[in-house]
Amino acid sequence: MVEANESRLVKAPKEKKNKKKKNTMSQSTAVEEPQQLETNSPLVDKVLSENDDTERESGAGEHELLEDEEFVRTGNVELSNEVHGLEDQDEGVEAHQGVEESDSSEDEVAPRNTIGDVPLKWYEDEEHIGYDITGKKIKKQARKDKLDSFLAGADDAKNWRKLYDEYNDEEVELTKHETRLIRRLLKGSTPHAEVDPYAPSVDWFEWDDAKHPLSNAPEPKRRFIPSKWENKKVVEYVRAIRKGLIKFDKPKEESQFYLLWGDDSSSTDKAAHGLSYIPAPKPKLAGHEESYNPSKEYIPTQEEINSYQLMYEEDRPKFIPRRFESLRSVPAYDNALKESFDRCLDLYLCPRTRKKRINIDPESLKPKLPSRKDLKPYPITCCLEYRGHKGAVLSVSVEVTGQWIASGSNDGTVRVWEVETGRCLKIWEIGEAVHRVAWNPVAELPILAVSAGQDVLLLNTGFGNEENQVKIKELMHIEAPTAPDDSGNSPSIVSWVQHDKHDGITLKHIKSVSSVEWHRKGDYFSTVMPGDILFTSDFIALKNVRVYDLVKQKLVKKLEAGVREISSIAIHPAGDNVIVGSTEGKLCWFDMDLSSQPYRILKCHPKDITNVAFHRSYPLFASCSDDCTAYVFHGTVYSDLNQNPLIVPLEILRGHTITNGRGVMDCKFHPRQPWLFTAGADSVIKLYCH
């Protein structure tokens, strides 16, 4: 009888729920009903709690509902009347409260725009946006320009919460609650803070007294018998595989070969992760030379081993092959630990960068130079030799007409030769080594300047007509020197003395003279002593080239050659270009109108450059060195200042032999022909012609 009463109470709230749906009662009224029932009877509270559990279960069927109705009809009449009285009381309360209205802002204000499902861009160029219910156009609101909106935002602190609604053509201001919801959504949280997304799960079933599973039905027979349909499907797959309709991917076969000296798997793994990994360069692999029993051609002879000792340390081979009878006879490698340490140090300290290589034809990078055939004439072959000196020929000089050539040698003699025949015309015995000879550049004054030791001799060669000889004798005559001055002044650096033996003038210096040069007009000459320069033309060469103005006696320009030591210098006939030779084998070309730095640096000689020279009329210049070679270049200087000089190497002249470690000592061009004279340490003067 108690079960019947409880089932009747369970059915009563369901009927009440259906009645509330018909009367469209709000949810708040339905929530308040359990509170009213709780005040009336404790039994009702128990029944309602059981009713809530019954409503949560989803597996109740029609059979259970029919049983509930049957229990209601046969149940206790008193409990039924009590429940019906509560229902009547609830209906009276609901009638007074009425239906609760929705608090949504969208339900309160209807949309102003009535364009329907039409794109808003159709109204971009129109003054209105849609129509109202009477068919009149809805005018667009006046939009603020950016300056006004900026000023409004600066004055209004809440301007950042205002949004423009294009659909309704109005500004909407977000509330604080809406901004909090948006911020929580941007952070990835739930919109409402009171919601716990990780609430503990609630088990709605009580398993304390459960001794049987949810279903006591026996296992079906189909679970123990193989499926007929699965068997048919397997047969279809087998036939498709045999016919080749289904193909499987073949497994990747691992290669039988592997890297003996290293594994690149680490680099590929790092590259797969997106890292810019640069593998270290592999050391050189061992070859036949490193074998303990190499072939005979790999084993050096004793002469080759001795020649290794004369080489520089960086050029010397690191490993010398040796032969052993067996592997047990091979001794331990002395530098094994050091080389391993150096290798680890290189890998640790040396930075590695990727170099982007450009696919460019190397031939396209070479400058386009004219053909050598188009630059002829220039000296090519040796046509004549001048023999007679017994020592190294240190200097040569060509007479301005190109008819005679003078030479000075270590044997203490000065010789004058006829160019075309090679005949020696005159010989002067100086008595000590002659460092420099120089012809006067004026044809009417065939005077020869010679530097030997601390003296400079001005010799009358005797060439020319009688009038020229008379003029030369007048110039070469010096009166007897007066008594020395005892006033206490410092003695003169140079003293002029008449040389009766050679019919000339001797200039005695306090130090040895290394060079002598004439001015281009022939009325001045300069001599050079170590540390002192008595008189110079225009240029002085030390480690740098200094240009002086002789009239103002003032430094004009300083050219920085950037070499260790300058050995020779030559000036272009136009006077605006200079070439400089150094003891490093470098040839520097200076364009004085362009810069104080070299325009071109030519590394042509492996040894010291002894002299450089320009041709007076042809676009040629040459350099000679101790390596027994003379280089001939084509050098065109253009009158257009915007065009750089053209420098083209033409020929390498060989023929001299090394004597006492010296090669070609001097070189000079013929004044009128494209010929080159070279003086060698082998006491031979050579003439190279085109």
Side-chain angles (χ1 to χ4, degrees):
M1 191 65 185
V2 176
E3 294 179 359
N5 294 334
E6 291 178 356
S7 62
R8 182 179 178 182
L9 290 176
V10 169
K11 185 60 181 176
K14 293 182 180 179
E15 294 177 356
K16 180 180 178 181
K17 187 176 181 180
N18 295 334
K19 185 176 181 180
K20 284 192 294 180
K21 290 182 180 179
K22 294 179 183 179
N23 297 331
T24 63
M25 297 296 292
S26 63
Q27 187 178 0
S28 60
T29 307
V31 173
E32 293 174 357
E33 290 175 0
Q35 297 176 359
Q36 296 174 0
L37 292 175
E38 184 179 3
T39 57
N40 293 331
S41 173
L43 182 60
V44 175
D45 187 11
K46 179 180 179 181
V47 173
L48 288 177
S49 62
E50 293 178 359
N51 182 28
D52 293 337
D53 296 338
T54 307
E55 287 181 354
R56 292 190 186 96
E57 293 178 2
S58 60
E62 296 180 355
H63 179 70
E64 296 177 354
L65 294 176
L66 294 175
E67 291 179 353
D68 291 342
E69 293 177 357
E70 184 179 355
F71 282 117
V72 168
R73 296 190 190 99
T74 60
N76 194 348
V77 179
E78 295 178 358
L79 290 175
S80 176
N81 293 333
E82 185 180 357
V83 173
H84 284 299
L86 292 175
E87 289 177 356
D88 296 337
Q89 186 179 358
D90 294 338
E91 288 176 2
V93 175
E94 291 174 0
H96 289 290
Q97 291 181 353
V99 180
E100 184 181 355
E101 295 182 357
S102 175
D103 58 350
S104 176
S105 61
E106 297 180 357
D107 297 339
E108 295 176 359
V109 182
R112 294 174 57 253
N113 196 344
T114 56
I115 62 173
D117 191 7
V118 173
L120 292 176
K121 64 180 181 179
W122 291 5
Y123 291 91
E124 289 180 355
D125 301 332
E126 301 295 338
E127 297 180 356
H128 66 286
I129 176 168
Y131 302 88
D132 58 5
I133 195 170
T134 60
K136 295 181 181 181
K137 295 181 179 179
I138 301 176
K139 297 293 183 180
K140 291 183 179 179
Q141 294 184 4
R143 295 295 301 277
K144 297 180 181 179
D145 56 359
K146 292 187 178 180
L147 182 58
D148 294 339
S149 61
F150 175 75
L151 295 175
D155 298 336
D156 188 5
K158 298 182 180 180
N159 186 64
W160 64 275
R161 292 195 295 182
K162 292 182 180 180
L163 301 174
Y164 175 68
D165 186 4
E166 293 184 358
Y167 186 77
N168 293 321
D169 191 24
E170 61 181 0
E171 284 189 355
V172 180
E173 183 177 352
L174 298 177
T175 62
K176 293 184 179 180
H177 178 66
E178 291 173 343
T179 55
R180 285 196 295 269
L181 293 180
I182 293 173
R183 286 175 180 172
R184 291 185 60 84
L185 288 175
L186 292 176
K187 292 180 181 179
S189 304
T190 56
H192 299 281
E194 60 272 9
V195 176
D196 186 9
Y198 306 105
S201 61
V202 179
D203 193 359
W204 302 102
F205 299 95
E206 295 181 358
W207 304 93
D208 298 337
D209 299 333
K211 297 181 180 180
H212 300 283
L214 295 179
S215 177
N216 250 346
E219 291 287 340
K221 185 179 180 181
R222 62 178 179 272
R223 296 188 182 177
F224 303 95
I225 300 177
S227 176
K228 178 179 66 175
W229 305 106
E230 290 180 0
N231 188 17
K232 289 184 177 181
K233 201 65 179 178
V234 170
V235 172
E236 291 180 1
Y237 284 141
V238 171
R239 291 176 181 175
I241 292 172
R242 290 176 179 176
K243 292 180 180 180
L245 300 177
I246 299 177
K247 296 182 180 179
F248 299 98
D249 296 335
K250 294 182 179 180
K252 294 182 179 180
E253 297 181 358
E254 295 184 358
S255 177
Q256 300 178 357
F257 308 99
Y258 60 93
L259 296 174
L260 181 62
W261 302 102
D263 189 7
D264 293 337
S265 60
S266 59
S267 62
T268 56
D269 295 342
K270 294 182 179 180
H273 292 288
L275 299 177
S276 179
Y277 176 72
I278 303 175
K282 299 291 183 66
K284 183 182 177 182
L285 302 180
H288 296 288
E289 297 179 352
E290 285 76 8
S291 174
Y292 74 94
N293 190 12
S295 302
K296 293 182 179 180
E297 58 267 16
Y298 291 103
I299 301 176
T301 60
Q302 188 63 33
E303 296 179 356
E304 294 177 350
I305 295 175
N306 296 335
S307 64
Y308 295 159
Q309 305 299 326
L310 302 177
M311 300 172 64
Y312 291 104
E313 186 176 357
E314 58 269 11
D315 298 335
R316 196 177 301 164
K318 306 298 182 185
F319 178 78
I320 299 177
R322 296 170 58 188
R323 173 175 285 187
F324 300 94
E325 295 181 357
S326 62
L327 193 59
R328 291 179 296 176
S329 303
V330 178
Y333 185 48
D334 298 336
N335 298 329
L337 187 60
K338 182 179 181 300
E339 289 183 358
S340 300
F341 175 76
D342 292 342
R343 171 68 176 174
C344 296
L345 200 64
D346 292 341
L347 295 177
Y348 176 69
L349 296 178
C350 295
R352 299 192 294 272
T353 58
R354 294 186 183 274
K355 292 184 178 180
K356 295 183 179 179
R357 295 186 177 181
I358 305 175
N359 295 326
I360 298 178
D361 185 13
E363 297 296 331
S364 63
L365 300 177
K366 294 182 180 179
K368 295 181 179 180
L369 301 177
S371 175
R372 294 198 303 171
K373 296 180 181 179
D374 301 335
L375 301 178
K376 288 183 178 181
Y378 56 86
I380 298 177
T381 58
C382 181
C383 299
L384 198 62
E385 292 184 356
Y386 305 90
R387 296 180 178 270
H389 286 288
K390 297 180 181 179
V393 182
L394 302 180
S395 176
V396 292
S397 179
V398 187
E399 197 260 341
V400 65
T401 61
Q403 189 175 358
W404 302 289
I405 179 176
S407 61
S409 173
N410 259 342
D411 57 3
T413 61
V414 176
R415 295 173 181 261
V416 177
W417 313 78
E418 189 176 7
V419 173
E420 295 183 355
T421 60
R423 184 164 53 102
C424 182
L425 300 179
K426 286 191 176 183
I427 301 175
W428 288 276
E429 293 287 345
I430 305 300
E432 53 184 330
V434 178
H435 296 289
R436 184 73 64 181
V437 293
W439 284 93
N440 192 301
V442 180
E444 291 79 11
L445 299 175
I447 300 175
L448 188 65
V450 179
S451 66
Q454 296 182 359
D455 300 336
V456 175
L457 303 176
L458 299 180
L459 303 177
N460 183 10
T461 58
F463 301 126
N465 52 26
E466 295 180 359
E467 295 180 0
N468 295 338
Q469 287 296 321
V470 173
K471 186 177 180 180
I472 291 173
K473 288 181 181 180
E474 292 179 357
L475 293 174
M476 302 287 284
H477 177 71
I478 299 177
E479 297 180 358
T482 59
D485 189 6
D486 298 336
S487 60
N489 297 332
S490 59
S492 177
I493 299 177
V494 180
S495 60
W496 296 66
V497 180
Q498 188 73 39
H499 200 293
D500 297 332
K501 179 180 178 181
H502 299 302
D503 191 14
I505 300 175
T506 302
L507 281 76
K508 294 184 177 296
H509 297 70
I510 60 175
K511 295 181 181 180
S512 62
V513 180
S514 60
S515 179
V516 58
E517 291 290 341
W518 287 92
H519 192 270
R520 62 182 181 86
K521 292 184 178 180
D523 50 356
Y524 297 98
F525 67 91
S526 64
T527 59
V528 179
M529 294 187 302
D532 297 316
I533 299 175
L534 297 185
F535 182 81
T536 180
S537 55
D538 285 337
F539 293 82
I540 297 178
L542 301 171
K543 288 188 177 181
N544 299 318
V545 180
R546 300 178 183 179
V547 185
Y548 288 89
D549 188 350
L550 297 181
V551 178
K552 298 180 180 180
Q553 298 183 3
K554 182 181 178 181
L555 178 65
V556 177
K557 186 179 290 188
K558 184 178 179 181
L559 306 178
E560 299 177 0
V563 295
R564 183 171 63 249
E565 183 180 351
I566 294 176
S567 60
S568 55
I569 184 174
I571 306 171
H572 192 269
D576 53 355
N577 289 270
V578 179
I579 55 174
V580 173
S582 67
T583 56
E584 304 173 14
K586 294 180 180 180
L587 180 64
C588 305
W589 178 293
F590 287 93
D591 188 352
M592 293 192 297
D593 296 333
L594 180 64
S595 173
S596 61
Q597 301 293 331
Y599 163 66
R600 284 285 185 273
I601 298 179
L602 307 176
K603 177 63 177 174
C604 47
H605 295 282
K607 293 186 178 181
D608 300 353
I609 294 179
T610 55
N611 196 20
V612 291
F614 268 112
H615 200 285
R616 291 186 180 181
S617 55
Y618 287 91
L620 298 173
F621 68 95
S623 65
C624 58
S625 173
D626 282 337
D627 59 356
C628 292
T629 61
Y631 281 66
V632 181
F633 300 88
H634 174 89
T636 302
V637 178
Y638 300 96
S639 58
D640 186 7
L641 296 178
N642 294 326
Q643 192 169 2
N644 296 326
L646 176 63
I647 302 175
V648 182
L650 295 177
E651 193 70 31
I652 301 177
L653 304 178
R654 295 181 174 89
H656 292 277
T657 57
I658 296 179
T659 304
N660 297 327
R662 304 303 300 272
V664 182
M665 306 300 296
D666 195 7
C667 65
K668 290 290 189 300
F669 276 104
H670 193 275
R672 298 181 180 179
Q673 299 293 334
W675 300 345
L676 182 66
F677 297 91
T678 59
D682 53 357
S683 70
V684 179
I685 303 171
K686 292 181 179 291
L687 170 61
Y688 293 90
C689 302
H690 63 284

